[in-house]
Amino acid sequence: MPSPDTTQTSGPLTGLRVLELGHFVAAPFGSRLLADLGADVIKIEAPGGDPVRQWGRQVEGAGAPWSSMHQRNKRSLVLNLKDPRAIEIVLRIVGTCDALIENFRPGQLARMGLDRERLEAARPGLVVAQISGYGQDGVYRDRAAFGVIGEAIGGLRYLTNHPPSMSDLPPVRVGVSIGDSIAGLYAAFGIVAALWARDRREGGDGRGRTLDVALTESVLSMMEGMLPEYGAFGTVRQPTGSRIATAAPSSAYPTSDGKWILIAGNSEPIFARLTALMGRPDLAQDPRFVGNRARVANVEELDRLIGAWSVEHTAAELDKLLAEADVPSTIAYTAAEIATDPQFRSRGMVREVDDPLFGKVLHAGIVPHVPDDPGRIRWPGPPAGFHTDEILRDVVGLDAAEIAALRRDGVAA
Amino acid sequence: MPSPDTTQTSGPLTGLRVLELGHFVAAPFGSRLLADLGADVIKIEAPGGDPVRQWGRQVEGAGAPWSSMHQRNKRSLVLNLKDPRAIEIVLRIVGTCDALIENFRPGQLARMGLDRERLEAARPGLVVAQISGYGQDGVYRDRAAFGVIGEAIGGLRYLTNHPPSMSDLPPVRVGVSIGDSIAGLYAAFGIVAALWARDRREGGDGRGRTLDVALTESVLSMMEGMLPEYGAFGTVRQPTGSRIATAAPSSAYPTSDGKWILIAGNSEPIFARLTALMGRPDLAQDPRFVGNRARVANVEELDRLIGAWSVEHTAAELDKLLAEADVPSTIAYTAAEIATDPQFRSRGMVREVDDPLFGKVLHAGIVPHVPDDPGRIRWPGPPAGFHTDEILRDVVGLDAAEIAALRRDGVAA
């Protein structure tokens, strides 16, 4: 793997340096968002590397292709943080950084010798983002942070279900570690907010701040009117399966080739176009279906009629017919449809990245898109420790003999 | 409603002023995140107010309690943007702002007379965040942005389902407009990143940037290894219902009182504790269930056994028993459990807010939590136009007669 050119960057966070002491999803995802916008992210990994590198299917001897995307645009340094010399190195790197992001269990960072006072002494004004399951204080702080548990506490899992009248299967996981990723995004947001407060020309106060981001709270923050409505009326928001409680028709319908097509036909003109397309223009005049309120009240029958029509057609046919009739719809995209979607491709949101380990790897693009100062995929995720020598030499200031000694003693790798 | 004290703020974004031209969820949520951290957000609404104010159950004559949380910490100005005088007022407010956030259809802002050049002339260096369904360019840019459609295009809907072998019901919506909220969070992140690039003492370039945030892309960015694995192996990630594909047991199990309990028992010591608790310590020695790989292979039988045990107990009993046995678990929280959770309460993540319209309203707290410079819930969401006079007078610089004329002509309200 050739050494990436770390001096050439672009994006609004060019010039920012961030230390990542992260593993699995939340902190590494948050720091990757910063790296995508131009930050120099130094990821410190334990010997053997971040365990997330083993997630997903492996290419023998090279690791999992996911890591190409998950760790992209970062530099990787392997240190054994149980050795006091490694902690000294961390503090010297901290001295060159604007921010630190971590997702150890609460208290672990301090126990390692990296408490707030020592970090602040190494780098006055350091911004520190700490991601955990439940937060850095409170009665739950020491609980293990399993993503599926945190998402259920935040209220997401209960709502992601069919109503009990339709199914006795358990509520569904969304299929990805969404709570971790949302927490990582909140941490990235908090870091740049704290940097603006610290660094801005007029009014910047030069001081560091701590971001205490909990997975449970990040999920809860997405729950819209759930709490105010409960407080005001005592109503407990209930799952509505594939539908929306207040609009109809809006659901996923079966196709003849075993896919699902989403149709959002819940305004009068759209509903009229949909029923005409179905060859049932009478339904738009049917008192059971005139107006959104009536359609919601009779949604079972309405969805049965739409499903009976949709299942007679392939997903591709429906996609074409509904688009021609100007009815908002889409096939429920799998990875295959995403990979070839012309909009994602034209906006660089699906792109092939040259990866020395895996050949070409398909990456999701950079969000947010900054058209007048776009971030770049500067290089794919490096193997663990790929930049160990470079960082120890250029950032920490060690000479070749010192680096060799650290490697020999298992402090660095 | 008493006028809030708009000078007293706290949080890292104190001193920031943002203009919101938003409606529904995405832009208003993004700007509320900024307001929660201290920004002065001026929300411009059409006569009648943001239609989201009608969402959810209403208190007669006062609107929906959700708006108390959704619009909190903002100032509201009602303008009829079809009138050229209103556009002039917008440009004068822009002149005092650092950033603008909007979620009209692509092109709409420019058609209203607020193109990039005019905005830049009014406020050199303005940061502009534009949220849309599919992005500001490309073949889909003019499509209507329905959240459920965008989430399906981003790949979330397909994965949020039971496997076809278990259910023929359609894939589930997560119950909230999560794509909109994630897009709003990305916009907030992008705005502060652009502000840091513009304003920082050393290296700030003083120039504005545009954030082009698409709902579809915001969702896609959460999809983890889905794309790299498809590209490398051609494997299309499949829904796994309540489970995790690579770990067992990890699912939601029924209780005797009709709730669901999440149990993550997928390590050897935890699994041993779980089976002991079930009165079935033999299962930990059963070759079908020794090691995670075997448990994943025999997950149907394993989950059947756990479910048969869990359904004999109430959720409260299971919660207590599993906690005592140190098995990671939780009840799938509804609004009711969230409202009384001691961790959420102690961290201010569930709190009562005095609201002149609704009495006390239950709000979700401020994320990210900044313990050394916390944002505040300074005031609940105001009625539409509550700050019209104040803003026209103090920000735009109009006198009482001018304001009265604008009101008389229906330009302001």
Side-chain angles (χ1 to χ4, degrees):
Chain A
M1 186 161 178
S3 195
D5 179 355
T6 54
T7 57
Q8 246 222 339
T9 61
S10 65
L13 299 182
T14 301
L16 177 66
R17 182 176 282 171
V18 178
L19 182 65
E20 178 205 314
L21 286 164
H23 55 295
F24 295 120
V25 177
F29 182 72
S31 73
R32 199 207 77 197
L33 297 175
L34 301 170
D36 278 358
L37 294 189
D40 175 18
V41 173
I42 297 176
K43 176 184 178 74
I44 294 185
E45 305 183 68
D50 185 337
V52 80
R53 293 177 177 278
Q54 307 308 319
W55 282 17
R57 193 165 147 194
Q58 310 280 308
V59 173
E60 208 175 326
W66 182 21
S67 66
S68 173
M69 190 177 89
H70 196 53
Q71 314 296 355
R72 75 183 177 204
N73 289 337
K74 301 180 191 173
R75 296 197 279 172
S76 170
L77 162 64
V78 168
L79 288 179
N80 173 11
L81 294 175
K82 291 174 186 145
D83 191 299
R85 285 173 289 177
I87 299 300
E88 286 308 316
I89 290 169
V90 171
L91 287 167
R92 284 177 54 189
I93 298 171
V94 162
T96 74
C97 285
D98 296 286
L100 184 159
I101 181 167
E102 62 100 356
N103 62 336
F104 293 115
R105 282 218 193 180
Q108 177 67 19
L109 196 68
R111 281 192 296 275
M112 290 163 56
L114 297 169
D115 52 88
R116 197 71 183 85
E117 291 65 36
R118 250 183 124 189
L119 291 171
E120 181 71 19
R123 195 334 184 169
L126 185 74
V127 171
V128 178
Q130 308 191 271
I131 308 178
S132 59
Y134 308 93
Q136 300 292 320
D137 56 24
V139 287
Y140 296 176
R141 71 163 237 160
D142 294 322
R143 288 197 185 184
F146 285 70
V148 292
I149 305 282
E151 288 158 16
I153 290 178
L156 189 67
R157 179 62 83 95
Y158 180 75
L159 289 179
T160 310
N161 197 3
H162 298 285
S165 62
M166 291 185 69
S167 161
D168 56 5
L169 290 169
V172 174
R173 180 172 173 261
V174 302
V176 290
S177 304
I178 197 153
D180 283 294
S181 293
I182 294 172
L185 175 50
Y186 266 116
F189 165 54
I191 286 172
V192 282
L195 288 170
W196 184 79
R198 185 189 77 180
D199 294 342
R200 71 183 196 271
R201 197 171 282 114
E202 288 171 32
D205 59 17
R207 73 182 176 89
R209 282 167 177 81
T210 308
L211 293 313
D212 171 358
V213 177
L215 189 155
T216 49
E217 297 164 2
S218 300
V219 171
L220 175 60
S221 77
M222 303 272 136
M223 292 295 111
E224 302 178 349
M226 186 188 66
L227 272 181
E229 285 166 11
Y230 176 74
F233 308 115
T235 48
V236 174
R237 190 183 275 219
Q238 296 298 331
T240 58
S242 183
R243 297 177 180 138
I244 293 181
T246 53
S250 176
S251 190
Y253 302 90
T255 72
S256 63
D257 49 350
K259 301 191 178 191
W260 296 99
I261 191 134
L262 279 287
I263 300 176
N266 50 290
S267 79
E268 299 312 296
I270 294 173
F271 185 62
R273 294 200 295 274
L274 172 63
T275 52
L277 180 65
M278 291 165 61
R280 293 294 306 275
D282 57 299
L283 294 177
Q285 316 298 332
D286 187 321
R288 294 174 301 168
F289 307 129
V290 173
N292 187 56
R293 183 186 298 261
R295 288 192 297 270
V296 167
N298 297 294
V299 66
E300 291 283 349
E301 176 63 7
L302 178 58
D303 278 352
R304 195 190 63 74
L305 289 164
I306 298 172
W309 166 74
S310 70
V311 80
E312 298 290 319
H313 303 269
T314 66
E317 282 166 11
L318 291 164
D319 200 39
K320 188 161 175 290
L321 289 170
L322 289 158
E324 285 168 1
D326 201 17
V327 174
S329 69
T330 181
I331 297 168
Y333 272 26
T334 66
E337 280 99 11
I338 288 171
T340 56
D341 179 79
Q343 181 78 358
F344 282 139
R345 287 277 176 173
S346 78
R347 286 181 44 92
M349 286 297 158
V350 172
R351 58 174 106 168
E352 272 112 27
V353 175
D354 282 317
D355 188 312
L357 294 173
F358 305 109
K360 286 205 184 295
V361 175
L362 216 52
H363 281 216
I366 292 168
V367 181
H369 176 48
V370 193
D372 38 19
D373 187 12
R376 288 195 299 127
I377 300 179
R378 291 169 276 153
W379 62 87
F386 184 80
H387 303 91
T388 293
D389 281 356
E390 170 186 312
I391 294 166
L392 292 178
R393 184 186 65 227
D394 299 344
V395 178
V396 185
L398 303 183
D399 65 27
E402 291 170 312
I403 294 171
L406 289 169
R407 283 186 178 276
R408 188 192 60 224
D409 298 348
V411 179
Chain B
M1 186 164 179
S3 194
D5 178 354
T6 54
T7 58
Q8 245 221 340
T9 62
S10 66
L13 299 183
T14 301
L16 178 66
R17 182 175 284 171
V18 178
L19 182 65
E20 178 205 313
L21 287 163
H23 55 295
F24 295 119
V25 178
F29 182 72
S31 73
R32 198 208 78 198
L33 297 175
L34 301 170
D36 278 358
L37 294 189
D40 175 18
V41 172
I42 297 175
K43 177 184 177 74
I44 295 184
E45 306 183 67
D50 185 336
V52 80
R53 292 176 178 277
Q54 308 308 318
W55 281 17
R57 194 165 147 195
Q58 309 279 310
V59 174
E60 206 175 327
W66 182 21
S67 66
S68 173
M69 190 177 90
H70 195 55
Q71 313 295 356
R72 75 184 178 204
N73 289 337
K74 301 180 190 175
R75 297 198 277 172
S76 170
L77 163 63
V78 168
L79 288 179
N80 172 12
L81 294 175
K82 290 176 185 141
D83 190 298
R85 284 173 289 177
I87 298 301
E88 286 308 315
I89 290 168
V90 171
L91 287 167
R92 279 164 72 177
I93 298 171
V94 163
T96 74
C97 286
D98 295 286
L100 183 159
I101 182 168
E102 62 101 353
N103 62 337
F104 292 116
R105 282 217 193 182
Q108 176 67 19
L109 196 68
R111 281 191 295 275
M112 289 162 61
L114 297 168
D115 52 88
R116 197 72 184 84
E117 291 65 35
R118 245 179 129 190
L119 292 170
E120 181 70 20
R123 195 338 185 162
L126 185 75
V127 171
V128 179
Q130 309 191 272
I131 308 178
S132 59
Y134 309 92
Q136 301 291 320
D137 55 24
V139 287
Y140 295 176
R141 72 162 238 163
D142 294 322
R143 287 197 186 184
F146 286 71
V148 292
I149 305 282
E151 289 158 15
I153 290 178
L156 189 68
R157 180 60 85 92
Y158 180 75
L159 288 180
T160 308
N161 197 3
H162 298 285
S165 62
M166 292 185 68
S167 161
D168 56 5
L169 289 169
V172 174
R173 179 171 174 263
V174 302
V176 290
S177 304
I178 197 152
D180 282 295
S181 294
I182 295 172
L185 175 50
Y186 266 115
F189 165 53
I191 285 172
V192 279
L195 288 170
W196 185 79
R198 185 189 76 179
D199 293 342
R200 71 184 194 271
R201 198 170 284 112
E202 287 171 32
D205 59 17
R207 73 183 177 90
R209 283 167 177 81
T210 308
L211 292 313
D212 171 358
V213 177
L215 188 155
T216 49
E217 297 164 1
S218 300
V219 171
L220 175 60
S221 77
M222 303 271 137
M223 292 294 111
E224 302 179 347
M226 186 188 66
L227 272 181
E229 285 167 12
Y230 176 72
F233 309 115
T235 48
V236 174
R237 190 183 273 219
Q238 296 299 331
T240 59
S242 184
R243 297 179 180 136
I244 293 181
T246 53
S250 176
S251 190
Y253 302 90
T255 73
S256 65
D257 49 350
K259 301 192 179 191
W260 295 99
I261 190 134
L262 278 286
I263 301 176
N266 49 291
S267 79
E268 300 311 299
I270 295 173
F271 184 62
R273 295 199 294 275
L274 171 63
T275 52
L277 181 65
M278 291 165 62
R280 292 294 306 274
D282 57 299
L283 294 177
Q285 316 299 332
D286 188 320
R288 294 174 301 169
F289 306 131
V290 173
N292 187 57
R293 185 186 296 259
R295 288 193 296 272
V296 167
N298 297 294
V299 67
E300 291 283 351
E301 177 61 7
L302 178 58
D303 279 353
R304 196 190 61 74
L305 290 164
I306 298 172
W309 166 74
S310 69
V311 80
E312 298 291 319
H313 303 270
T314 66
E317 282 166 12
L318 290 165
D319 200 38
K320 188 161 174 292
L321 289 171
L322 288 159
E324 285 167 2
D326 201 18
V327 174
S329 70
T330 182
I331 297 168
Y333 272 26
T334 67
E337 281 98 12
I338 289 171
T340 56
D341 180 78
Q343 181 77 0
F344 282 139
R345 286 277 177 174
S346 77
R347 288 183 42 93
M349 286 298 157
V350 172
R351 57 174 104 168
E352 272 113 27
V353 175
D354 283 317
D355 188 310
L357 295 173
F358 306 108
K360 284 205 185 296
V361 175
L362 216 51
H363 281 216
I366 292 168
V367 181
H369 177 48
V370 192
D372 38 20
D373 188 12
R376 290 194 299 126
I377 300 179
R378 292 170 275 155
W379 62 86
F386 184 79
H387 303 92
T388 293
D389 281 356
E390 171 187 312
I391 293 167
L392 292 178
R393 184 186 65 228
D394 300 343
V395 179
V396 185
L398 303 183
D399 65 28
E402 291 169 313
I403 294 171
L406 289 169
R407 284 186 177 277
R408 188 193 60 223
D409 298 348
V411 180

